[in-house]
Amino acid sequence: MDRAATTKADSDVIVVGAGPVGLALTLDLARRGLTVRLLERGRGTFEGSRAKGLQPRTLEVLDDLGLAAAALAAGGDYPPMGLHLGPCTKTWRMHAAAPDSAGTPYGDILLLPQYATAALLHTAVEQLGVRVDFGARAVAITQDDDGCAVRLDDGRRLTARYVVGADGGSSTVRKAAGIAFEGATDEADRMLLVDAAVDGLSRDHWHVWPRAGGRSVAACPLPGGDRFQIMIKVRPGEAVHARDLTDPALAALFRRRVGRSLTLRDISWSSVFRPNVRLAERYRDRRLLLCGDAAHVHTPAGAQGLNTGVQDAHNLGWKLHQVLAGADDTLLDSYEGERRPVAARVLGRSTELYEGLRRPRPGKLTRGQDEHQLTISYFGGPLAPADAPRTATLRPGDRAPDAPLPHPTPTARTLFDLYRGPHFTALAFGARAAAALDRLPWPTAGVPLRRHAVLTRTTAGTPAEAALLTAYGITEDTVLIVRPDGHVGTVAPVDRTGDVRIPAPFGPHDADGYGGQRTTDGSR
């Protein structure tokens, strides 16, 4: 690469891939005032239902991005499962709700097809002035110490300080970075996915027709119209040709499998699915980073893949902001350190759940609280050492739960109202903490800090105060900093002198690097 050509990059970040993950990252970066270029090799937005479940933790991410209400309005509850066994139908609820102790306004998974999720994010991105560059296929990506260059198949050459690949399992960015994609694809296990209307089929159940010899069929009603997502298993060893995906062929196959009383019509999308379980060896090669399916691909069971990818983006966005503002770029190493272990665990769980689909039974098809992703923690990771101070209930790296504010205002009734946006949040509990709050040092560049004295005592005087102190495990004067991605950054007890220490990387960055432990009076 010509170094001079990247000294003045066209953009701060180029995001390759405009699926939900790439759109979520672009939205987060754009709302921070960064210049982002979003490339998509397809000619338009994705039109299939594919990933159709948004977990509670992902809804919290959408809340932070200002889109949760729109998602809830466009989506719906998952219907009960209906297992058709001859003349009988066995019904049960597939998903368990999150317990009240989870501290979330989103207690259950939301049924929302991928095309609707992408549409919400796409609209929000465009409202911030970013246009998706459709039909832009990256054919070569290079980097040097100053930036990256992306060459497109139409001859254009774009430059940026960083490039993020959110371009799926066949990621061009991952290949350019030379990062291995470890795992396997089961070519013998295939399923046809179809979005269509079905005459004669009720919309009050997610229908499952178990069939011997790998011929099972399922149909899940999608919100917002008459669509179903149809899943038709392909028998082992049976070839699938282009002619098998025509509308008449799919309609005939559906009738043969489930009965002539049901008619498949108005097919809007179809695809052949193969179980693909892979994890990138690394998430970063200098200025090239991976996000979503470019870093990890899952089975569809448990609605984990898209959710994990959107949360990748939420973790990466604020770190890119800090580094672009002058923080040491080793902060970006913490992205892999925090998110790759999560993907490894999720891959194992989704594979286990997928195995349960081979012989459909209620016990194997029920989803529990593990799938909600509310218990994901970065404790013990690169930004949350195990020996750091903690409260009675929260450790650094834990997800910060929601709770009602004891003294609500017209603009903030809960803690999530304070967290919403691209900033760090400092919460003060106790009088000494409240006094120290305004003296917390923080840089003028990069991600800003918003300060809130939420409670000036650490003993409860009302039930609302008791609920808040219990949720956050507060027993002494404490300043707690919540990261922009909704995880606890640091727990800083305030000593009797009113002193509070904010460790790196949540203290100020200056000429000698990012962070550096400082007290409220600025000394080290």
Side-chain angles (χ1 to χ4, degrees):
M1 181 192 299
D2 177 7
R3 177 168 296 185
T6 59
T7 301
K8 295 182 179 180
D10 300 329
S11 307
D12 291 320
V13 181
I14 292 174
V15 178
V16 183
V21 176
L23 286 164
L25 178 60
T26 300
L27 178 59
D28 189 24
L29 296 174
R31 69 175 179 162
R32 298 175 179 281
L34 302 177
T35 56
V36 194
R37 191 74 180 259
L38 180 55
L39 311 179
E40 170 54 47
R41 64 185 177 185
R43 295 294 176 182
T45 55
F46 181 72
E47 296 181 351
S49 61
R50 192 178 287 160
K52 60 184 181 299
L54 295 183
Q55 298 290 353
R57 180 60 186 138
T58 303
L59 288 169
E60 292 181 352
V61 174
L62 293 181
D63 183 309
D64 178 62
L65 296 172
L67 295 176
L72 292 173
D77 295 333
Y78 267 74
M81 297 294 289
L83 191 63
H84 297 284
L85 304 169
C88 302
T89 300
K90 181 176 180 59
T91 63
W92 73 97
R93 178 178 167 82
M94 185 180 186
H95 297 276
D100 292 341
S101 59
T104 180
Y106 311 105
D108 208 345
I109 186 172
L110 179 72
L111 179 62
L112 188 68
Q114 183 170 328
Y115 57 75
T117 301
L120 290 174
L121 289 163
H122 186 201
T123 298
V125 162
E126 288 198 325
Q127 287 173 345
L128 290 182
V130 179
R131 297 290 180 266
V132 180
D133 195 346
F134 288 113
R137 182 184 294 271
V139 295
I141 302 171
T142 54
Q143 62 176 318
D144 64 14
D145 291 342
D146 297 317
C148 310
V150 178
R151 183 165 58 85
L152 304 182
D153 61 354
D154 61 7
R156 284 182 292 164
R157 184 177 179 276
L158 310 176
T159 59
R161 293 177 64 183
Y162 290 90
V163 170
V164 180
D167 48 343
S170 60
S171 172
T172 301
V173 178
R174 189 187 63 248
K175 293 172 183 175
I179 296 174
F181 206 31
E182 300 165 344
T185 301
D186 188 350
E187 295 290 348
D189 185 0
R190 288 161 300 156
M191 179 188 300
L192 304 181
L193 297 180
V194 183
D195 288 352
V198 182
D199 291 335
L201 187 62
S202 69
R203 297 183 58 81
D204 56 356
H205 288 89
W206 182 340
H207 302 270
V208 180
W209 295 268
R211 297 288 187 266
R215 299 183 300 119
S216 297
V217 178
C220 179
L222 299 173
D226 62 353
R227 304 278 92 185
F228 285 81
Q229 185 192 70
I230 314 295
M231 293 145 277
I232 306 173
K233 289 285 288 183
V234 177
R235 298 185 213 185
E238 183 178 356
V240 178
H241 303 286
R243 63 177 179 272
D244 300 318
L245 298 178
T246 64
D247 290 10
L250 289 170
L253 175 62
F254 185 75
R255 295 189 72 173
R256 287 198 305 272
R257 293 280 185 93
V258 303
R260 296 188 175 278
S261 62
L262 302 179
T263 301
L264 191 71
R265 62 172 175 83
D266 295 340
I267 296 172
S268 56
W269 172 76
S270 64
S271 179
V272 180
F273 165 80
R274 298 169 179 82
N276 196 9
V277 180
R278 296 181 184 272
L279 180 62
E281 180 185 24
R282 293 174 287 120
Y283 278 23
R284 180 189 183 198
D285 179 64
R286 295 175 292 161
R287 292 181 176 272
L288 306 181
L289 298 111
L290 305 177
C291 218
D293 283 359
H296 46 80
V297 290
H298 309 248
T299 75
Q304 299 292 286
L306 180 150
N307 291 273
T308 303
V310 169
Q311 291 169 47
D312 288 344
H314 205 216
N315 182 287
L316 179 58
W318 70 268
K319 295 174 181 178
L320 278 169
H321 186 180
Q322 290 292 68
V323 170
L324 287 164
D328 193 300
D329 82 345
T330 57
L331 178 63
L332 294 177
D333 292 335
S334 71
Y335 166 61
E336 175 186 320
E338 291 186 334
R339 293 303 301 172
R340 192 174 185 276
V342 171
R345 290 193 298 270
V346 169
L347 280 170
R349 178 59 178 159
S350 63
T351 301
E352 176 187 345
L353 293 172
Y354 187 76
E355 289 300 315
L357 297 177
R358 298 183 187 275
R359 294 182 179 178
R361 299 192 303 273
K364 294 293 186 179
L365 295 177
T366 300
R367 307 293 181 249
Q369 295 169 16
D370 287 345
E371 286 71 62
H372 292 161
Q373 301 194 351
L374 294 169
T375 58
I376 289 172
S377 176
Y378 305 135
F379 177 70
L383 301 184
D387 60 353
R390 64 183 74 183
T391 74
T393 58
L394 291 177
R395 309 164 301 178
D398 288 351
R399 165 187 159 270
D402 196 16
L405 291 170
H407 307 290
T409 69
T411 58
R413 304 191 63 82
T414 72
L415 286 174
F416 275 15
D417 292 335
L418 303 182
Y419 301 159
R420 191 176 299 116
H423 54 270
F424 283 91
T425 306
L427 304 178
F429 298 90
R432 290 196 305 273
L437 199 59
D438 288 338
R439 295 185 286 115
L440 283 178
W442 202 262
T444 55
V447 182
L449 176 72
R450 293 187 180 177
R451 308 158 196 254
H452 302 278
V454 294
L455 198 57
T456 56
R457 53 189 175 190
T458 58
T459 55
T462 67
E465 292 176 355
L468 177 59
L469 292 171
T470 299
Y472 274 67
I474 301 298
T475 58
E476 60 181 331
D477 280 50
T478 302
V479 171
L480 190 145
I481 293 182
V482 178
R483 298 168 15 166
D485 58 3
H487 286 260
V488 176
T490 190
V491 176
V494 181
D495 63 26
R496 293 191 176 278
T497 67
D499 199 17
V500 57
R501 292 181 176 273
I502 305 299
F506 305 109
H509 57 270
D510 50 29
D512 60 356
Y514 180 71
Q517 182 164 286
R518 289 178 180 256
T519 60
T520 47
D521 64 4
S523 63
R524 296 192 182 223

